Amino acid sequence: QTSLETCRYEPIGYPVSVHLYFYDERFQGYLVRQEVQNVGSRVRETVEVWAVPQATMQLENNLREFERLKNLEVGTEWDPKERIFRNFGGVIGPLDEPVAVQKWVRGPNLTATIVWIDPAQTVAASYDISVDVDAEYTQYKPPLQRPLRPGAWTVRVLRLWERVAEARFLVMPLAFKGREPLHQEEDSWLHAGPPGNLYLEQGFQQLRSVLKLPPQEPALQEAQQRAQLVGKPLEAWVDRTVGAFWVTGDLCSTLPSPGPCPSLGPCTKSTWSSLAPDPKSELGPVKGDGRIR
């Protein structure tokens, strides 16, 4: 067998566990434990995958006063006191209520226009924000009509309708509802977008030409077809969308000794795994001097 064949695995069932991974108090991704089977030897083992979210913010070149803008992020469960999203990883579903947060440094007063665009190239929301000299964060949660259309969304920051920054975020399609696989007849509404294709009482389609968006009809047709997916095609769509926003940081085996794949090291030897040694959390017996370490 070639090394490629000995290192091919297929998943068995669904993930066993998911851990949040932080380093230096910063979220680094999810640690997903999954039972797998080696394609060649048929040996079963459990692996842990480090899934890393991709940064999606892009800045234009000629920013001028908008050089104040340091970050643009969309998520849920924004904590204004700690200034972080409590939904680490930003997993957003069709029924969630996302908020767009901008991070600034000190600089001149300015007014920015924020525009939300859904996967079918529908302008979901548009609003202005005023940024004071000392403002560090601005945030707003538009009261979008749900369900949100699944797929890649875009939030743009505009100056006089010229783009200065944009970030993409994923509204993840649901493969399950109430622990049951989705059914086409009763559940297709979850992926169909809002009634009448309107996210707010007011429509913003007149902005399409100003924003130089591509023709909507092909994107809308594709979105409508995807809304009908169930079973394996739906799971494949979920995998594709997640793969566009997340990458594999590393992979390890929970076996104590090397398995059939020589390049798959043990998790206990890694620095990132949930099974990696953590001396600070290990408490031994009380010593003669009363200490535990």
Side-chain angles (χ1 to χ4, degrees):
Q1 282 188 323
T2 65
S3 60
L4 183 64
E5 289 171 332
T6 59
C7 290
R8 285 185 63 202
Y9 291 89
E10 53 192 14
I12 299 170
Y14 296 105
V16 178
S17 66
V18 179
H19 288 82
L20 300 179
Y21 176 33
F22 292 84
Y23 184 81
D24 196 21
E25 297 188 0
R26 288 180 177 272
F27 177 73
Q28 304 294 325
Y30 294 134
L31 304 181
V32 183
R33 216 174 289 177
Q34 171 75 48
E35 189 180 4
V36 296
Q37 181 171 267
N38 188 283
V39 172
S41 66
R42 315 308 289 175
V43 171
R44 290 192 175 198
E45 61 181 295
T46 301
V47 299
E48 191 164 54
V49 182
W50 175 12
V52 184
Q54 292 289 86
T56 66
M57 178 181 166
Q58 292 181 320
L59 287 168
E60 298 296 325
N61 292 324
N62 187 20
L63 295 174
R64 298 205 293 271
E65 72 271 26
F66 277 80
E67 286 185 358
R68 292 185 60 190
L69 181 62
K70 295 304 171 188
N71 197 19
L72 167 62
E73 199 173 352
V74 178
T76 60
E77 300 174 40
W78 172 251
D79 183 335
K81 182 172 177 285
E82 298 296 333
R83 294 174 168 179
I84 57 172
F85 287 105
R86 291 293 178 188
N87 175 5
F88 297 105
V91 175
I92 299 171
L95 302 180
D96 285 327
E97 300 179 356
V99 53
V101 177
Q102 300 82 35
K103 182 180 180 182
W104 310 86
V105 294
R106 186 182 171 87
N109 286 334
L110 57 87
T111 299
T113 300
I114 313 294
V115 174
W116 296 52
I117 304 164
D118 89 345
Q121 302 299 322
T122 298
V123 182
S126 174
Y127 52 89
D128 290 345
I129 55 170
S130 297
V131 187
D132 296 334
V133 173
D134 296 322
E136 292 184 55
Y137 287 87
T138 51
Q139 53 93 10
Y140 181 65
K141 178 168 65 179
L144 300 176
Q145 177 98 331
R146 291 165 292 166
L148 308 179
R149 184 168 280 120
W153 283 61
T154 304
V155 171
R156 290 184 184 175
V157 179
L158 309 172
R159 175 188 60 214
L160 301 176
W161 297 104
E162 290 293 325
R163 178 172 57 189
V164 293
E166 78 172 30
R168 294 165 65 245
F169 70 95
L170 174 63
V171 173
M172 198 176 295
L174 301 179
F176 292 85
K177 178 172 171 253
R179 299 189 179 184
E180 292 291 327
L182 256 62
H183 299 287
Q184 191 171 36
E185 295 78 21
E186 63 245 45
D187 297 324
S188 61
W189 67 273
L190 274 169
H191 294 159
N197 206 30
L198 273 179
Y199 286 95
L200 298 172
E201 289 183 9
Q202 171 192 0
F204 297 96
Q205 292 307 87
Q206 73 276 12
L207 299 178
R208 290 183 47 79
S209 58
V210 179
L211 297 170
K212 301 181 177 66
L213 296 181
Q216 184 174 30
E217 197 57 38
L220 195 55
Q221 284 182 355
E222 186 178 12
Q224 289 167 345
Q225 290 167 359
R226 285 174 172 168
Q228 304 300 318
L229 295 177
V230 292
K232 292 294 183 187
L234 173 57
E235 291 181 12
W237 179 32
V238 174
D239 288 346
R240 285 197 306 274
T241 58
V242 171
F245 285 82
W246 293 75
V247 296
T248 300
D250 211 341
L251 189 69
C252 66
S253 171
T254 61
L255 291 176
S257 56
C261 175
S263 60
L264 192 60
C267 292
T268 51
K269 296 283 180 67
S270 76
T271 58
W272 55 268
S273 169
S274 62
L275 298 173
D278 185 6
K280 285 186 178 180
S281 67
E282 293 170 4
L283 303 179
V286 179
K287 298 177 183 176
D289 60 1
R291 295 179 176 273
I292 56 175
R293 287 203 187 100

